[in-house]
Every structure is written in structure tokens, then in C-alpha cells.
Amino acid sequence: MFKRINVNLLLFNFCVHGRFPFVIYLQVFNAKTAELLSHHQVEIQQKFPKEGWVEQDPKEILKSVHECVERTCEKLQQLNIDITNIKAIGVSNQRETTVVWDKTTGEPLYNAIVNKSLYGSSFVEETCTCHFLCIKSVDQLILFMFLVWLDLRTQSTVERLLKRIPGKNKSFFKFRTGLPLSTYFSAVKLRWLLDNVEEIRQAVDDGRAMFGTIDSWLIWSLTGGKNGGVHCTDVTNASRTMLFNIHSLEWDPELCQFFDIPVEILPKVRSSSEIYGLMKSGALTGVPISGCLGDQSAALVGQMCFQDGQAKNTYGTGCFLLCNTGQKSVFSQHGLLTTIAYKLGRDKPVCYALEGSVAIAGAVVRWLRDNLGIVKTAQEVEKLAAEAGTSYGCYFVPAFSGLYAPYWEPSARGIICGLTQFTNKKHIAFAALEAVCFQTREILDAMNKDCGIPLNQLQVDGGMTNNKVLMQLQSDILCIPVVKPSMPETTALGAAMAAGAAEGVGIWSLNPGDLTAVTCERFEPQINPEESEFRYARWKKAVMKSMGWETSEAPSNGKTEMNAGQVLLISQLA
């Protein structure tokens, strides 16, 4: 006998997390209590055909999705949950992953290239865990998975394209796309594929090729594939391609012409919350796919940052900060990106966001563990920092591959300064956590200047938010409260909200008065603003001392090093 529980939302979510080998890890939680009810995992292989190249098999990703759906449904039935009450499916994915496939055979024409920034060289040694999450409650069932993007091969493509831009201005298309020309975004990856993969060129010439980010590949495949699958994406993913005009909300003919990419191979762009199509096979046949958001946008929605000036920060290997700027697209004067936050319905307005990234966050903890060996686990860093209670004047600037926003200074390198005979590993651990907080403050200061709306609290998510010392330090350094939801999977929640709110589904209201309050842990500043400003000023002094270390001069062994200009181009990432 099944329990009559109205379980009604299913979500797939892809983003970076954990350790290699790449794993789809299924978890089943109770949404009210966060109780873990069940889990399932499938390992996905990473491919490394050349140094600096990272690829994944789109067919293996799709197969793993099907397997996780089936195993999850079996486990839900074992828990006496009737899967016929699942009402909708949402998709969230890391935004820039690029796939090209043959619409007549349904076969990918090349592996998914994985986007790698310079700081990814340390990250690539870590494992990426793919979580597949189910949340069970009276109102929702949510499933989600994680995927990674890391690859360096497109640098020469960027350099060649820059030569065609007046003054080699990498921000030439910024007011159309919100983005600088960079290896990070999909148009450059697609251009590389067209230049280097004969099968793709031939498929384009024959009218057989389809392009998409992972959301497009999955939605097309799950809604029928070569037998009538829906080729679409949403505005948040489209806005990360460099082919999309974020004002007209259409593929831009001039951008397509610049990158020499035929518009015919691009997916139809739709809102983030509408029914795209129905599942055509498996245990969930007939269930609509009705939500689609890029991962950072999904987290913004999951944090319920629906008002102008509300911001969230996701703490992972790096940090991603998004600030909702409402229906106005704000263009930064301080190195931030303009992106689409969401469009929650076909007839709903589009909302924009400013986005900034901190390259080194969780990566600095791994550096202390793996490179210096002063701790054996990441958790030890929190313990050491708590025991120290201060850096004792020690400042750590983790500019391992230059400084990112707001400096964009490729000549910088990491330094630890202010050392005395009294300094020990506890102080260095504290300084490492402070560095994450200082970098976050620099991004938020830039956002405040660009938006003109001072932030009154910061909403946070991501793995590092389990570190209470870090969260308290962040509040102290920002001089505002830091708010962490008890439900940490805000990306999954955001995509679920989009799916459930879609017209024709209508089981989740996004009206502010109808949104369920989320239990949060709140960290209030515990030091006075004067002390915070003093420490921040000392950090800025340390940052200045980190600059100018790297030069374009050849080393004495005659080997050519990557010059500062190359580093800067790679570092312009979201």
C-alpha cells in the first residue's frame, strides 16, 4: 500500500563538486527535516587526451541520468512513495559546457570539452562528485546531479579572434553579451570544434549538427532525441555563450557572423520556467520537463534573491557571487560580468545580475593540505584557525595564477607576509580563511559601487559554508550579517521552484507572500567596524605587494613560459 504523499517535483542539476573520478551520487532527503532517506551513485569517467584537455562522454552522462532516475524511482517505491505523483522535472547545469551532436542519429559528434582556467590546474587533481538529490515532502520531490567544465585548449582561438577586434579590446561585445572575450564561454569552444573536428564541420555543412550546453543535450535526448526531441535552452544558459543578445533575448546575427557560427545549429531560447516537453521513456514517461536554469542562477532563485540588491555567494573551489539588479542590466566598471539571473515564465520579465568570481576559496584549504602538508583534512583548518583566533598580523594572498576581479592583474603571485618568529601553522590557517573573506569583500565592494545599492546581508551556500569560523570571519570582515540556509542545496531548490511554478504545472507559487520561510543560521559581526577596516587595509597592502612578480621574460633554461597577457585572457571567467 502506497502512502498518499503528494510528491511532485523532479530535478536534475549539474555543477562542480567533490573529487575525481566523476560520480553521479543520488541522495534522498526529507525537505522539511533534511533527513537523508536514500542514495544512489554512478561513476562517470573523465578523459585526458592531451595535457590541459579534459573531456567527458555525453552519452555516458545521458546513460547515467537514465540509470539514476530508474534506481531512484525504485528506492522511492521501497519507501512507499508513489512515483506517479511526480509532477515536473527541472534541469540545472554548469553553464558553459558545450556539446555538438547529429540530429539524425542522436549521436554526439565529439566529447564534451571541459573548461579549465589557470587555477583549475590544482582543481583538476581533485575529484568531482556528482550528486543526484531527491527531496521528499508534501509538496516536492527533487533530484539533481553535478557536472564539471575544465579545459585550456581554446587559448589560440581567443588570440586569433582578438586580432579581428578593434584595439584587441576583449570587452568589445560586453554591452551586447555582458561578457569579455574569453576561453571560458561557449562560442569560443564551439569555434574550436568547428576548426578542429572534421566530423562537426561536415555535419554543419549537411544540416545535421545541433549545438547546446548540457541542458540542451539532456532536454533534447529525454524528450525524444532523433524522434522529435525538443532542441532548446533557457535564457540563463544562452547568456553564457557570447552569441546571445541579453537585451533583445535573441541570438545575435552579428555575433554569430563574428564567430562564424550558423544560427541554424543553435537551440531555441525559452524562459527558465515553462513546459519544454515530456519525458519519452523510463519510469517517468509523460512527466513534463518545465524548469531550466544555469547553476548560479538556480542558486540565486533557491536563495530567494528576488529583490534588487539581494546577493548570494557560493563557496566552493572558488566563489561565485551574484547580485540581483532587477530588470535593469548593470554594466560593471570594476571587472564584474553582467548576466541574466532568470526569466520565470514566458510572459514574465527578465531579471539581470552582476556576477563576480573569486578564483581561490576552497582551493586554498587544499593547498595547505596537499602542498604544505600542515593539515591532513580540510576540517583541521577550521580547528587550527579556531585555536588561533587571529592571524597575528599574518596575511595570505593566494594569487596562485594572478589576481582576478576586481584587479585582473596576471603578474601577481601568491604571498604570505607579516611573518614573525611567533607565527605558526594555526596563524597561517586563520590567514587562509581570512583571505577567502577579504576576496569576497573586494567583489562585494565592487558590486556596491556598480549597483549603488549597499548590501545589508549576504546569503551563502556551498561546501565551505559548513566552516563556522569562515562564516563568522566573513560577517566580521563585511560588517553585515551572513545568512546560511539550513537546506544547503539551494541550486536544486531553485530549479525545483522554476519547474513547479511553470504554467501548466502550477504547484509552486513564486509570489513573495507564498514563499515558504527557510530556516537559516545567521552570523552577526562580532568585531567593531574600525577593526574590520584596519584588517582590510592591511590585506589591501599585502595585495599590492603580490603584484609584479611574474614577467614575460624567458627563464634561464630557455623554456617559454605563458606570458602575462595570456594569463589575463584565461582569467576572465565567470
Side-chain angles (χ1 to χ4, degrees):
M1 178 71 67
F2 285 119
K3 296 179 183 178
R4 299 309 300 171
I5 297 176
N6 182 25
V7 177
N8 57 24
L9 276 180
L10 174 68
L11 164 68
F12 302 107
N13 176 45
F14 293 80
C15 63
V16 180
H17 189 79
R19 291 183 165 274
F20 287 111
F22 196 74
V23 176
I24 296 175
Y25 182 45
L26 178 149
Q27 295 174 301
V28 184
F29 293 93
N30 184 303
K32 289 187 175 180
T33 65
E35 175 191 2
L36 180 64
L37 301 177
S38 182
H39 63 87
H40 184 75
Q41 68 181 37
V42 177
E43 185 176 307
I44 295 176
Q45 296 298 316
Q46 300 276 11
K47 302 177 186 296
F48 305 93
K50 294 184 180 181
E51 183 179 356
W53 293 26
V54 190
E55 299 177 356
Q56 291 168 340
D57 182 355
K59 290 178 65 178
E60 186 179 1
I61 293 170
L62 180 61
K63 179 182 177 182
S64 298
V65 167
H66 283 297
E67 181 177 343
C68 280
V69 169
E70 299 304 313
R71 300 292 85 78
T72 300
C73 289
E74 290 173 5
K75 293 181 179 183
L76 291 174
Q77 288 175 322
Q78 291 169 8
L79 293 170
N80 292 328
I81 299 171
D82 189 348
I83 64 170
T84 63
N85 286 328
I86 295 173
K87 303 299 182 185
I89 298 171
V91 179
S92 178
N93 57 289
Q94 191 163 341
R95 296 162 292 181
E96 293 82 13
T97 307
T98 299
V99 183
V100 181
W101 65 94
D102 188 322
K103 65 182 179 183
T104 62
T105 66
E107 295 291 313
L109 294 166
Y110 196 79
N111 284 331
I113 307 171
V114 181
N115 182 40
K116 178 177 178 178
S117 68
L118 281 179
Y119 72 82
S121 58
S122 61
F123 179 72
V124 79
E125 296 170 2
E126 295 295 319
T127 305
C128 291
T129 302
C130 232
H131 288 275
F132 193 53
L133 167 70
C134 294
I135 299 179
K136 177 182 80 73
S137 76
V138 172
D139 293 316
Q140 63 206 38
L141 175 67
I142 306 174
L143 288 74
F144 81 99
M145 292 179 290
F146 292 107
L147 180 65
V148 66
W149 236 124
L150 310 160
D151 197 276
L152 194 57
R153 73 187 74 185
T154 55
Q155 179 59 36
S156 60
T157 304
V158 168
E159 292 169 353
R160 176 168 53 83
L161 291 169
L162 267 177
K163 293 177 181 178
R164 298 169 51 198
I165 295 176
K168 296 185 177 180
N169 178 10
K170 58 184 171 292
S171 296
F172 187 74
F173 299 120
K174 183 176 179 179
F175 290 98
R176 293 193 197 192
T177 67
L179 311 172
L181 182 61
S182 164
T183 61
Y184 198 69
F185 304 110
S186 303
V188 175
K189 301 176 179 66
L190 181 53
R191 184 64 259 159
W192 185 93
L193 289 168
L194 290 167
D195 291 338
N196 292 277
V197 182
E198 174 60 33
E199 292 84 353
I200 290 179
R201 284 198 301 270
Q202 189 61 55
V204 170
D205 291 342
D206 294 344
R208 295 181 286 110
M210 284 183 165
F211 154 81
T213 42
I214 288 293
D215 59 302
S216 296
W217 162 245
L218 284 179
I219 292 173
W220 182 82
S221 299
L222 296 173
T223 57
K226 63 182 180 180
N227 298 314
V230 179
H231 187 210
C232 69
T233 189
D234 90 301
V235 290
T236 66
N237 283 292
S239 72
R240 309 296 288 194
T241 61
M242 288 207 79
L243 299 172
F244 189 67
N245 188 309
I246 61 174
H247 308 291
S248 68
L249 304 184
E250 296 175 338
W251 299 117
D252 192 298
E254 293 184 13
L255 290 171
C256 291
Q257 183 179 9
F258 174 80
F259 287 100
D260 195 16
I261 291 172
V263 71
E264 293 79 18
I265 73 172
L266 305 180
K268 182 178 180 180
V269 182
R270 300 173 68 170
S271 77
S272 306
S273 179
E274 62 179 273
I275 294 176
Y276 311 113
L278 307 180
M279 288 281 285
K280 294 298 185 183
S281 64
L284 300 179
T285 298
V287 177
I289 300 175
S290 56
C292 183
L293 285 159
D295 55 354
Q296 299 306 321
S297 291
L300 193 73
V301 172
Q303 288 273 23
M304 301 183 193
C305 294
F306 294 127
Q307 297 179 12
D308 294 14
Q310 286 188 312
K312 69 89 192 171
N313 191 22
T314 299
Y315 295 77
T317 298
C319 291
F320 283 97
L321 296 89
L322 262 71
C323 178
N324 190 335
T325 63
Q327 297 178 43
K328 178 182 178 182
S329 55
V330 175
F331 291 93
S332 175
Q333 302 300 313
H334 302 91
L336 306 180
L337 304 179
T338 304
T339 194
I340 292 180
Y342 50 79
K343 186 178 187 296
L344 296 173
R346 282 179 291 188
D347 300 323
K348 301 293 184 180
V350 65
C351 288
Y352 297 89
L354 276 176
E355 179 171 337
S357 60
V358 171
I360 304 295
V364 75
V365 173
R366 288 199 296 273
W367 186 82
L368 294 178
R369 182 194 68 195
D370 299 340
N371 293 50
L372 288 193
I374 66 173
V375 294
K376 293 182 179 179
T377 67
Q379 290 71 28
E380 286 183 54
V381 173
E382 180 179 8
K383 181 181 177 182
L384 289 174
E387 290 174 356
T390 176
S391 69
Y392 199 74
C394 173
Y395 289 84
F396 187 169
V397 183
F400 298 146
S401 299
L403 289 167
Y404 290 63
Y407 300 101
W408 300 114
E409 179 50 66
S411 70
R413 287 296 178 267
I415 64 169
I416 301 175
C417 58
L419 300 174
T420 70
Q421 287 181 314
F422 180 72
T423 306
N424 60 39
K425 65 180 182 180
K426 296 179 182 179
H427 302 122
I428 292 174
F430 191 96
L433 296 184
E434 264 194 326
V436 176
C437 301
F438 286 133
Q439 291 178 97
T440 297
R441 172 161 175 180
E442 289 181 318
I443 298 294
L444 288 179
D445 281 355
M447 285 185 172
N448 286 339
K449 292 174 184 176
D450 287 325
C451 293
I453 307 173
L455 200 66
N456 56 24
Q457 69 177 29
L458 178 65
Q459 293 168 236
V460 300
D461 56 69
M464 286 193 80
T465 61
N466 292 322
N467 187 321
K468 294 183 182 296
V469 173
L470 176 69
M471 293 295 96
Q472 185 57 57
L473 277 172
Q474 188 68 86
S475 178
D476 291 344
I477 289 167
L478 295 178
C479 300
I480 59 174
V482 167
V483 180
K484 174 192 172 186
S486 58
M487 162 55 182
E489 306 298 350
T490 54
T491 304
L493 179 61
M497 291 164 68
E503 183 180 354
V505 178
I507 55 175
W508 201 317
S509 172
L510 297 182
N511 295 324
D514 297 331
L515 293 174
T516 303
V518 177
T519 304
C520 295
E521 185 173 7
R522 189 177 180 92
F523 298 85
E524 299 280 353
Q526 293 183 354
I527 64 174
N528 61 52
E530 291 76 18
E531 181 182 347
S532 177
E533 290 302 319
F534 174 79
R535 285 157 63 174
Y536 187 47
R538 298 268 285 187
W539 156 264
K540 302 282 274 188
K541 184 177 180 181
V543 168
M544 293 301 106
K545 293 184 180 297
S546 76
M547 296 183 184
W549 285 90
E550 185 64 22
T551 70
S552 58
E553 296 176 4
S556 58
N557 62 11
K559 293 182 180 179
T560 302
E561 292 186 338
M562 184 173 289
N563 63 44
Q566 290 173 310
V567 176
L568 179 60
L569 284 172
I570 296 171
S571 69
Q572 303 282 335
L573 59 136

